[in-house]
Amino acid sequence: MKKILVTGGLGYIGSHTVVALQQAGYEVLIIDDCSNADKDFLDRITSITSIRPQYFSIDLKDQLKTNQFFENNPVDGVIHFAAYKAVGESVEKPLMYYRNNLMGLINLLEAMNENKVDHVIFSSSCTVYGQADQMPIDEQTPLKKPESPYGKTKQMGEEILEDYASTYQKNVICLRYFNPVGAHPSSKIGELPKGIPNNLVPYVTQTAAGIRECLSVWGDDYPTRDGTAIRDYIDVNDLADAHVKAITRLMEQKNKTNLEFFNLGTGTGSTVLEVVNAFEKANNLSVNYKIQPRRAGDIVEAFADNSFAKKELNWQPTISLEESLRNSWNWEQNLGQEK
Ligand code: UD1
Protein backbone atom coordinates (compact mmCIF):
# COMPACT_ATOMS: atom_id res chain seq x y z
CA MET A 1 0.00 0.00 0.00
CA LYS A 2 1.45 3.37 -1.01
CA LYS A 3 1.70 5.94 1.76
CA ILE A 4 0.68 9.51 1.06
CA LEU A 5 1.24 12.46 3.39
CA VAL A 6 -1.57 15.02 3.17
CA THR A 7 -0.65 18.35 4.77
CA GLY A 8 -3.72 20.34 5.73
CA GLY A 9 -5.62 17.06 5.64
CA LEU A 10 -8.22 18.23 8.15
CA GLY A 11 -9.22 21.27 6.07
CA TYR A 12 -11.98 21.61 3.50
CA ILE A 13 -10.42 20.21 0.34
CA GLY A 14 -7.84 18.22 2.33
CA SER A 15 -10.40 16.18 4.27
CA HIS A 16 -12.36 15.27 1.13
CA THR A 17 -9.10 14.24 -0.52
CA VAL A 18 -8.11 12.07 2.45
CA VAL A 19 -11.43 10.21 2.14
CA ALA A 20 -10.97 9.74 -1.62
CA LEU A 21 -7.36 8.53 -1.17
CA GLN A 22 -8.35 5.99 1.46
CA GLN A 23 -11.20 4.77 -0.71
CA ALA A 24 -8.75 4.39 -3.60
CA GLY A 25 -6.52 2.14 -1.45
CA TYR A 26 -3.84 4.57 -0.28
CA GLU A 27 -2.60 4.74 3.29
CA VAL A 28 -2.90 8.35 4.43
CA LEU A 29 -0.91 10.29 7.01
CA ILE A 30 -2.08 13.76 7.93
CA ILE A 31 -0.11 16.78 9.11
CA ASP A 32 -2.25 19.67 10.28
CA ASP A 33 -1.64 22.36 12.89
CA CYS A 34 -5.40 22.96 13.21
CA SER A 35 -4.87 26.71 12.78
CA ASN A 36 -7.94 26.70 10.53
CA ALA A 37 -9.37 23.23 10.99
CA ASP A 38 -10.94 21.14 13.73
CA LYS A 39 -9.36 18.01 15.08
CA ASP A 40 -12.75 16.32 15.14
CA PHE A 41 -12.44 16.04 11.35
CA LEU A 42 -10.29 12.99 12.11
CA ASP A 43 -13.33 11.30 13.63
CA ARG A 44 -15.50 12.53 10.79
CA ILE A 45 -13.16 11.10 8.17
CA THR A 46 -12.97 7.84 10.09
CA SER A 47 -16.75 7.61 10.30
CA ILE A 48 -16.95 7.74 6.48
CA THR A 49 -14.15 5.35 5.58
CA SER A 50 -13.80 3.26 8.78
CA ILE A 51 -10.03 3.86 8.55
CA ARG A 52 -8.38 6.26 10.98
CA PRO A 53 -5.53 8.12 9.30
CA GLN A 54 -2.38 8.67 11.33
CA TYR A 55 -2.41 12.26 12.49
CA PHE A 56 0.54 14.52 13.35
CA SER A 57 0.02 17.93 14.91
CA ILE A 58 2.91 19.72 13.22
CA ASP A 59 3.31 23.32 12.10
CA LEU A 60 5.36 23.17 8.88
CA LYS A 61 7.11 26.40 9.93
CA ASP A 62 8.87 24.21 12.49
CA GLN A 63 11.74 22.91 10.39
CA LEU A 64 13.02 20.48 13.01
CA LYS A 65 9.67 18.77 13.56
CA THR A 66 9.01 18.67 9.82
CA ASN A 67 12.36 16.94 9.23
CA GLN A 68 11.76 14.53 12.09
CA PHE A 69 8.40 13.58 10.61
CA PHE A 70 10.03 12.50 7.34
CA GLU A 71 12.88 10.71 9.12
CA ASN A 72 10.41 8.66 11.15
CA ASN A 73 7.67 8.17 8.55
CA PRO A 74 8.72 7.06 5.09
CA VAL A 75 6.08 8.17 2.56
CA ASP A 76 5.79 7.71 -1.21
CA GLY A 77 4.33 11.11 -2.01
CA VAL A 78 2.91 14.32 -0.60
CA ILE A 79 -0.22 16.37 -1.29
CA HIS A 80 0.36 19.83 0.15
CA PHE A 81 -2.74 21.79 1.15
CA ALA A 82 -1.57 23.37 4.39
CA ALA A 83 -1.74 27.14 3.90
CA TYR A 84 -3.65 30.24 4.93
CA LYS A 85 -6.31 31.15 2.38
CA ALA A 86 -8.27 34.25 3.38
CA VAL A 87 -7.78 36.93 0.75
CA GLY A 88 -8.84 39.88 2.92
CA GLU A 89 -6.74 38.79 5.90
CA SER A 90 -3.71 38.44 3.61
CA VAL A 91 -4.07 42.09 2.60
CA GLU A 92 -4.01 43.10 6.27
CA LYS A 93 -1.25 40.70 7.34
CA PRO A 94 0.92 40.05 4.28
CA LEU A 95 4.03 39.00 6.22
CA MET A 96 2.07 36.41 8.15
CA TYR A 97 0.93 34.97 4.83
CA TYR A 98 4.38 34.96 3.27
CA ARG A 99 5.89 33.41 6.39
CA ASN A 100 3.28 30.69 6.72
CA ASN A 101 2.64 29.74 3.10
CA LEU A 102 6.19 30.08 1.80
CA MET A 103 8.21 28.97 4.82
CA GLY A 104 5.91 25.98 5.25
CA LEU A 105 6.43 25.02 1.62
CA ILE A 106 10.21 25.45 1.74
CA ASN A 107 10.58 23.43 4.96
CA LEU A 108 8.42 20.70 3.46
CA LEU A 109 10.43 20.55 0.22
CA GLU A 110 13.77 20.50 2.05
CA ALA A 111 12.65 17.68 4.30
CA MET A 112 11.27 15.78 1.30
CA ASN A 113 14.50 16.22 -0.58
CA GLU A 114 16.66 15.08 2.32
CA ASN A 115 14.48 12.01 2.80
CA LYS A 116 14.20 11.12 -0.87
CA VAL A 117 10.49 11.72 -1.30
CA ASP A 118 10.20 12.59 -4.97
CA HIS A 119 6.53 13.34 -5.67
CA VAL A 120 4.43 16.33 -4.63
CA ILE A 121 1.05 17.78 -5.56
CA PHE A 122 0.65 21.51 -4.85
CA SER A 123 -2.64 23.16 -4.06
CA SER A 124 -2.73 26.17 -6.37
CA SER A 125 -5.50 28.46 -7.55
CA CYS A 126 -6.96 30.09 -10.64
CA THR A 127 -6.13 33.33 -8.85
CA VAL A 128 -2.69 33.06 -10.56
CA TYR A 129 -4.38 34.07 -13.86
CA GLY A 130 -5.97 37.29 -12.48
CA GLN A 131 -8.53 38.72 -14.92
CA ALA A 132 -7.49 36.73 -17.98
CA ASP A 133 -7.89 38.37 -21.37
CA GLN A 134 -9.73 35.40 -22.85
CA MET A 135 -12.21 32.82 -21.66
CA PRO A 136 -12.07 29.92 -21.03
CA ILE A 137 -8.74 29.85 -19.21
CA ASP A 138 -6.36 27.07 -20.25
CA GLU A 139 -2.95 26.29 -18.76
CA GLN A 140 -1.17 28.39 -21.42
CA THR A 141 -3.08 31.53 -20.44
CA PRO A 142 -0.47 34.09 -19.30
CA LEU A 143 -0.27 34.55 -15.55
CA LYS A 144 -0.91 37.99 -14.12
CA LYS A 145 0.31 39.44 -10.89
CA PRO A 146 -2.30 38.51 -8.27
CA GLU A 147 -3.89 41.36 -6.35
CA SER A 148 -3.58 39.86 -2.89
CA PRO A 149 -0.61 38.53 -0.89
CA TYR A 150 -2.56 35.24 -0.66
CA GLY A 151 -2.62 35.01 -4.45
CA LYS A 152 1.04 35.96 -4.60
CA THR A 153 1.94 33.11 -2.24
CA LYS A 154 0.30 30.71 -4.71
CA GLN A 155 2.20 32.17 -7.65
CA MET A 156 5.49 32.24 -5.71
CA GLY A 157 4.82 28.69 -4.52
CA GLU A 158 4.56 27.55 -8.13
CA GLU A 159 7.85 29.32 -8.94
CA ILE A 160 9.62 27.73 -5.98
CA LEU A 161 8.35 24.35 -7.17
CA GLU A 162 9.59 25.01 -10.69
CA ASP A 163 13.15 25.44 -9.41
CA TYR A 164 12.76 22.54 -7.00
CA ALA A 165 11.56 20.17 -9.75
CA SER A 166 14.31 21.07 -12.18
CA THR A 167 17.25 21.33 -9.75
CA TYR A 168 16.55 18.22 -7.73
CA GLN A 169 14.80 16.14 -10.43
CA LYS A 170 11.55 15.91 -8.51
CA ASN A 171 8.05 15.36 -9.86
CA VAL A 172 5.59 18.15 -9.22
CA ILE A 173 1.96 18.69 -10.20
CA CYS A 174 0.30 22.04 -9.51
CA LEU A 175 -3.48 21.87 -9.44
CA ARG A 176 -5.15 25.21 -10.07
CA TYR A 177 -8.62 25.13 -8.57
CA PHE A 178 -11.41 27.37 -9.72
CA ASN A 179 -14.13 27.93 -7.06
CA PRO A 180 -14.52 24.89 -4.77
CA VAL A 181 -18.07 24.27 -3.49
CA GLY A 182 -20.17 21.46 -2.05
CA ALA A 183 -19.64 18.92 0.71
CA HIS A 184 -19.40 15.17 1.11
CA PRO A 185 -22.75 13.47 0.31
CA SER A 186 -22.68 11.89 3.80
CA SER A 187 -22.80 15.44 5.29
CA LYS A 188 -20.03 14.33 7.65
CA ILE A 189 -17.40 16.69 6.23
CA GLY A 190 -17.69 20.07 4.51
CA GLU A 191 -16.48 23.65 4.68
CA LEU A 192 -16.10 25.21 8.13
CA PRO A 193 -15.66 28.95 7.68
CA LYS A 194 -14.45 30.76 10.79
CA GLY A 195 -16.39 33.96 11.48
CA ILE A 196 -18.24 35.74 8.69
CA PRO A 197 -17.76 33.85 5.42
CA ASN A 198 -16.09 35.66 2.53
CA ASN A 199 -16.92 33.04 -0.08
CA LEU A 200 -20.27 32.97 -1.81
CA VAL A 201 -21.65 29.51 -1.02
CA PRO A 202 -21.00 29.47 2.75
CA TYR A 203 -22.61 32.92 2.89
CA VAL A 204 -25.64 31.62 1.00
CA THR A 205 -26.04 28.55 3.24
CA GLN A 206 -25.64 30.65 6.41
CA THR A 207 -28.24 33.12 5.12
CA ALA A 208 -30.64 30.27 4.35
CA ALA A 209 -30.00 28.93 7.88
CA GLY A 210 -30.81 32.33 9.41
CA ILE A 211 -27.26 32.84 10.74
CA ARG A 212 -26.85 35.83 8.38
CA GLU A 213 -29.69 38.20 7.65
CA CYS A 214 -29.11 38.90 4.01
CA LEU A 215 -26.65 37.94 1.28
CA SER A 216 -24.90 40.87 -0.37
CA VAL A 217 -24.52 40.33 -4.10
CA TRP A 218 -21.39 42.30 -4.90
CA GLY A 219 -22.23 44.25 -8.05
CA ASP A 220 -24.83 43.82 -10.80
CA ASP A 221 -23.18 46.14 -13.32
CA TYR A 222 -20.58 43.72 -14.71
CA PRO A 223 -20.58 43.08 -18.47
CA THR A 224 -22.20 39.62 -18.06
CA ARG A 225 -25.61 38.13 -18.92
CA ASP A 226 -27.29 39.35 -15.71
CA GLY A 227 -24.71 41.89 -14.55
CA THR A 228 -23.24 39.73 -11.75
CA ALA A 229 -19.76 38.23 -11.86
CA ILE A 230 -19.02 34.82 -13.37
CA ARG A 231 -17.05 32.00 -11.71
CA ASP A 232 -16.54 28.30 -12.31
CA TYR A 233 -17.89 26.41 -9.28
CA ILE A 234 -16.32 22.98 -8.99
CA ASP A 235 -17.49 20.34 -6.53
CA VAL A 236 -15.04 19.49 -3.74
CA ASN A 237 -15.54 15.73 -4.27
CA ASP A 238 -14.61 16.14 -7.93
CA LEU A 239 -11.53 18.08 -6.78
CA ALA A 240 -10.64 15.29 -4.36
CA ASP A 241 -10.90 12.77 -7.19
CA ALA A 242 -8.52 14.88 -9.30
CA HIS A 243 -5.95 14.74 -6.47
CA VAL A 244 -6.16 10.95 -6.37
CA LYS A 245 -5.66 10.84 -10.13
CA ALA A 246 -2.76 13.30 -9.98
CA ILE A 247 -0.86 11.43 -7.24
CA THR A 248 -1.52 8.12 -9.01
CA ARG A 249 -0.08 9.64 -12.19
CA LEU A 250 3.12 10.38 -10.27
CA MET A 251 3.19 7.02 -8.50
CA GLU A 252 2.86 5.25 -11.86
CA GLN A 253 5.40 7.61 -13.47
CA LYS A 254 2.91 8.61 -16.14
CA ASN A 255 3.71 12.32 -15.95
CA LYS A 256 5.00 13.76 -19.23
CA THR A 257 7.32 16.32 -17.65
CA ASN A 258 8.54 16.74 -14.10
CA LEU A 259 6.46 19.89 -13.61
CA GLU A 260 2.83 19.86 -14.74
CA PHE A 261 -0.09 22.24 -14.27
CA PHE A 262 -3.77 21.40 -14.47
CA ASN A 263 -6.82 23.64 -14.33
CA LEU A 264 -9.58 22.09 -12.28
CA GLY A 265 -12.97 23.56 -13.09
CA THR A 266 -16.20 22.40 -14.68
CA GLY A 267 -15.64 24.45 -17.83
CA THR A 268 -18.91 26.32 -17.26
CA GLY A 269 -19.23 29.75 -15.73
CA SER A 270 -22.15 30.72 -13.49
CA THR A 271 -23.16 34.20 -12.39
CA VAL A 272 -23.73 34.99 -8.71
CA LEU A 273 -27.49 35.17 -9.32
CA GLU A 274 -27.44 31.85 -11.15
CA VAL A 275 -25.79 30.28 -8.09
CA VAL A 276 -28.41 31.80 -5.80
CA ASN A 277 -31.22 30.54 -8.10
CA ALA A 278 -29.66 27.08 -8.38
CA PHE A 279 -29.40 26.91 -4.58
CA GLU A 280 -33.04 27.93 -4.18
CA LYS A 281 -34.21 25.42 -6.75
CA ALA A 282 -32.06 22.55 -5.46
CA ASN A 283 -33.26 23.01 -1.89
CA ASN A 284 -36.73 24.40 -2.45
CA LEU A 285 -36.26 27.52 -0.39
CA SER A 286 -35.59 31.19 -0.95
CA VAL A 287 -32.55 33.25 -0.01
CA ASN A 288 -32.77 36.83 1.08
CA TYR A 289 -30.34 38.90 -0.98
CA LYS A 290 -29.58 42.50 -1.87
CA ILE A 291 -27.51 44.00 -4.66
CA GLN A 292 -24.56 45.96 -3.28
CA PRO A 293 -21.66 47.80 -4.95
CA ARG A 294 -18.81 45.73 -6.42
CA ARG A 295 -16.31 44.18 -4.00
CA ALA A 296 -12.79 45.59 -4.33
CA GLY A 297 -10.39 43.23 -6.08
CA ASP A 298 -13.08 41.11 -7.76
CA ILE A 299 -12.68 40.14 -11.39
CA VAL A 300 -15.50 40.01 -13.95
CA GLU A 301 -15.23 36.38 -14.95
CA ALA A 302 -13.13 33.24 -14.70
CA PHE A 303 -13.94 29.80 -15.99
CA ALA A 304 -11.74 26.92 -16.95
CA ASP A 305 -10.81 25.10 -20.08
CA ASN A 306 -10.44 21.71 -18.36
CA SER A 307 -9.61 19.67 -21.45
CA PHE A 308 -5.99 19.08 -20.40
CA ALA A 309 -7.06 17.56 -17.06
CA LYS A 310 -9.71 15.48 -18.82
CA LYS A 311 -7.20 14.12 -21.30
CA GLU A 312 -4.12 13.63 -19.15
CA LEU A 313 -5.63 12.83 -15.75
CA ASN A 314 -8.60 10.98 -17.22
CA TRP A 315 -10.65 13.17 -14.89
CA GLN A 316 -14.11 14.49 -15.36
CA PRO A 317 -16.36 16.60 -13.12
CA THR A 318 -19.40 14.48 -12.29
CA ILE A 319 -21.41 16.52 -9.81
CA SER A 320 -23.80 19.22 -11.02
CA LEU A 321 -23.96 22.64 -9.39
CA GLU A 322 -27.41 21.86 -8.00
CA GLU A 323 -26.22 18.63 -6.44
CA SER A 324 -23.22 20.44 -4.90
CA LEU A 325 -25.51 23.08 -3.49
CA ARG A 326 -27.81 20.42 -2.07
CA ASN A 327 -24.81 18.83 -0.34
CA SER A 328 -23.68 22.25 0.95
CA TRP A 329 -27.11 22.88 2.43
CA ASN A 330 -27.31 19.40 4.00
CA TRP A 331 -23.89 19.99 5.56
CA GLU A 332 -24.96 23.40 6.91
CA GLN A 333 -28.11 21.87 8.42
CA ASN A 334 -26.11 19.04 9.91
CA LEU A 335 -23.74 21.54 11.53
CA GLY A 336 -26.71 23.45 12.95
CA GLN A 337 -28.09 20.27 14.53
CA GLU A 338 -24.74 19.43 16.12
CA LYS A 339 -24.55 22.77 17.95
C1 UD1 B 1 -11.87 33.89 -3.77
C2 UD1 B 1 -10.49 34.44 -3.86
C3 UD1 B 1 -9.60 33.45 -4.55
C4 UD1 B 1 -9.61 32.15 -3.79
C5 UD1 B 1 -11.04 31.65 -3.70
C6 UD1 B 1 -11.06 30.43 -2.81
C7 UD1 B 1 -10.83 36.86 -4.01
C8 UD1 B 1 -10.66 38.08 -4.84
N1 UD1 B 1 -10.49 35.71 -4.55
O1 UD1 B 1 -12.36 33.76 -5.10
O2 UD1 B 1 -8.29 33.95 -4.60
O3 UD1 B 1 -8.81 31.19 -4.44
O4 UD1 B 1 -11.86 32.65 -3.11
O5 UD1 B 1 -12.35 29.94 -2.70
O6 UD1 B 1 -11.28 36.94 -2.89
N2 UD1 B 1 -19.95 37.11 -3.79
C9 UD1 B 1 -21.08 37.83 -3.46
N3 UD1 B 1 -21.43 37.89 -2.16
C10 UD1 B 1 -20.74 37.28 -1.15
C11 UD1 B 1 -19.58 36.54 -1.49
C12 UD1 B 1 -19.19 36.49 -2.82
O7 UD1 B 1 -21.73 38.41 -4.32
O8 UD1 B 1 -21.12 37.39 0.03
C13 UD1 B 1 -19.52 37.01 -5.20
C14 UD1 B 1 -18.15 37.58 -5.45
O9 UD1 B 1 -18.23 38.95 -5.71
C15 UD1 B 1 -17.70 36.75 -6.66
C16 UD1 B 1 -18.38 35.39 -6.42
O10 UD1 B 1 -19.46 35.65 -5.53
O11 UD1 B 1 -18.20 37.29 -7.83
C17 UD1 B 1 -17.45 34.35 -5.83
O12 UD1 B 1 -16.84 34.91 -4.68
P1 UD1 B 1 -15.93 34.05 -3.69
O13 UD1 B 1 -16.66 32.83 -3.26
O14 UD1 B 1 -15.45 34.98 -2.61
O15 UD1 B 1 -14.73 33.56 -4.59
P2 UD1 B 1 -13.72 34.41 -5.50
O16 UD1 B 1 -13.72 35.83 -5.14
O17 UD1 B 1 -13.96 34.05 -6.92
Side-chain angles (χ1 to χ4, degrees), residues 85 87 125 127 148 150 177-180 197-201 203 215-218 222 229-231 233 272 295-299:
K85 60 169 188 177
V87 175
S125 164
T127 195
S148 70
Y150 155 77
Y177 320 140
F178 282 68
N179 289 56
N198 288 308
N199 293 122
L200 177 61
V201 171
Y203 210 106
L215 167 74
S216 298
V217 172
W218 304 123
Y222 286 105
I230 290 176
R231 298 287 185 276
Y233 296 91
V272 177
R295 181 171 74 176
D298 270 354
I299 55 173

Side-chain angles (χ1 to χ4, degrees), residues 1 6 23 32 53 63 72 125 156 183 256 308 316-317 329-330 333:
M1 212 186 228
V6 179
Q23 289 175 339
D32 203 306
Q63 191 175 16
N72 297 330
S125 164
M156 290 175 191
K256 300 270 160 70
F308 191 55
Q316 173 124 316
W329 177 232
N330 289 342
Q333 286 176 299

Side-chain angles (χ1 to χ4, degrees), residues 136-209:
I137 300 172
D138 67 18
E139 291 80 359
Q140 275 68 52
T141 301
L143 305 190
K144 290 190 178 165
K145 194 169 162 183
E147 294 230 358
S148 70
Y150 155 77
K152 287 179 191 161
T153 65
K154 291 295 172 193
Q155 208 172 78
M156 290 175 191
E158 287 192 355
E159 285 171 6
I160 290 169
L161 283 158
E162 185 182 339
D163 292 336
Y164 174 75
S166 71
T167 308
Y168 305 108
Q169 256 91 82
K170 302 289 186 190
N171 295 304
V172 176
I173 293 181
C174 297
L175 298 178
R176 294 171 175 160
Y177 320 140
F178 282 68
N179 289 56
V181 291
H184 195 266
S186 65
S187 299
K188 288 178 174 165
I189 53 173
E191 193 169 6
L192 260 192
K194 289 210 168 140
I196 301 170
N198 288 308
N199 293 122
L200 177 61
V201 171
Y203 210 106
V204 168
T205 59
Q206 290 197 4
T207 306

Side-chain angles (χ1 to χ4, degrees), residues 63 67 70 104-116 164 168:
Q63 191 175 16
N67 280 336
F70 281 93
L105 174 66
I106 292 166
N107 285 344
L108 176 73
L109 297 178
E110 277 185 343
M112 284 175 60
N113 190 32
E114 275 165 33
N115 292 281
K116 314 235 169 332
Y164 174 75
Y168 305 108

